[in-house]
Amino acid sequence: MDDSLTGLCAGRGNRMTDETLPKPSLSARPSWIMPPKSNVTLQCHTSTNDVNFALRKGNVPVEFPQSPDSTEGMARFLLTDLQASSSGPYTCEYYRREPPQRSSQPSDILLLLVTGEFPKPSLQAPQRGVVTAGETVTLQCQRPDNIFMPIKFALLKAGAAEPIRVQDPAGKETDFSLRSVTVSDAGNYSCVYFLMRAPFWASDSQPSDILLLLVTGEEGVPRRGDYTTGNLIRLGLAAIIVVIMGAFLVEAWCSQKEPPRGSV
């Protein structure tokens, strides 16, 4: 997640760990930023077989039921009815089932955020939300004036499991720059802000007002700067084919106009 999280799981005790076991990965579905009373699945994955998994919040082991669709090498922990107290840094690890029963190193930290403890921010686009493909668009997220604790901002896009960007503010706002946008960047954007330390509060369960970003320009239509050698060759071949087809059509039309041989 962020370098500032690396110290959150210090002092984990003196458990025997096996340096040869690959570190597992931990992800959240549908996202690591969730509204209260919702459900989230934390997925711990490793390429090592015949292992048992464990989930921790900070330094404390947590007991969540594994989903029935967990598979060999993949444990899915279902967290239901999320509350503000569910927010925090999570890691997972795994243990060999057979002796020697040593554990892996912990996964990288996943910061789970449950929104709703701060007022929602605002999100604005100086270009009024309409840009041309290839341009840079800046989306500005701004928190209310009455927040004085150190926070970070996250830019969200509808349908994306992970935030598009996470960054520090400049004062009470931050600018998210999307460079060389394409039509795939079009969509509904919002933002949230959150504390990077306990109690890991985040802004309102309704993020900022939705901002619809429109990107003009058709996919597949070459724009200035797109005329590479490959494109020129394809355009040349297409032109030759059109000329040949035109010659055949002219020949056929002329043959129909000629009088039959032997006629007066």
Side-chain angles (χ1 to χ4, degrees), residues 103-238:
S103 68
S104 70
Q105 293 294 314
S107 67
D108 292 336
I109 293 171
L110 183 146
L111 180 58
L112 178 65
L113 297 176
V114 180
T115 60
E117 297 301 313
F118 288 135
K120 72 178 181 180
S122 62
L123 183 64
Q124 300 176 345
Q127 295 90 338
R128 297 181 180 271
V130 180
V131 295
T132 302
E135 292 184 346
T136 296
V137 61
T138 300
L139 306 182
Q140 185 179 91
C141 186
Q142 187 175 91
R143 62 166 174 78
D145 290 327
N146 57 348
I147 305 297
F148 303 103
M149 292 174 279
I151 60 171
K152 280 185 178 290
F153 284 95
L155 179 66
L156 313 178
K157 183 182 180 184
E162 301 293 331
I164 305 301
R165 301 277 177 80
V166 176
Q167 60 192 48
D168 294 316
K172 68 174 185 177
E173 62 194 29
T174 192
D175 291 337
F176 295 102
S177 294
L178 306 179
R179 303 183 183 279
S180 301
V181 296
T182 66
V183 291
S184 63
D185 293 309
N188 291 317
Y189 288 82
S190 60
C191 65
V192 297
Y193 60 94
F194 58 92
L195 291 176
M196 284 295 296
R197 63 190 184 196
F200 301 102
W201 286 346
S203 55
D204 195 352
S205 57
Q206 292 296 325
S208 64
D209 292 332
I210 300 297
L211 186 149
L212 175 60
L213 178 65
L214 299 176
V215 180
T216 61
E218 297 180 5
E219 277 189 303
V221 177
R223 293 182 293 271
R224 185 175 299 175
D226 289 341
Y227 291 98
T228 61
T229 300
N231 285 336
L232 291 174
I233 292 174
R234 286 190 289 270
L235 289 173
L237 290 174

Side-chain angles (χ1 to χ4, degrees), residues 8-17 56 58-61 93 95 103-106:
L8 291 178
C9 290
R12 299 174 64 86
N14 296 318
R15 299 190 315 278
M16 296 293 290
T17 58
R56 288 176 174 265
N59 298 326
V60 181
E93 55 200 56
Y95 303 83
S103 68
S104 70
Q105 293 294 314

Side-chain angles (χ1 to χ4, degrees), residues 15-91:
R15 299 190 315 278
M16 296 293 290
T17 58
D18 188 345
E19 297 290 348
T20 64
L21 293 176
K23 182 169 64 174
S25 62
L26 184 62
S27 59
R29 295 292 182 273
S31 175
W32 55 270
I33 301 179
M34 298 294 295
K37 300 186 181 300
S38 62
N39 302 333
V40 68
T41 299
L42 302 186
Q43 298 183 163
C44 187
H45 178 264
T46 180
S47 58
T48 305
N49 295 327
D50 299 322
V51 296
N52 293 323
F53 291 89
L55 186 67
R56 288 176 174 265
K57 182 182 178 186
N59 298 326
V60 181
V62 290
E63 295 293 336
F64 290 107
Q66 288 193 32
S67 174
D69 60 350
S70 295
T71 60
E72 184 67 42
M74 170 76 79
R76 294 181 173 91
F77 298 93
L78 179 61
L79 284 64
T80 61
D81 193 28
L82 293 174
Q83 306 296 326
S85 58
S86 305
S87 297
Y90 289 80
T91 58

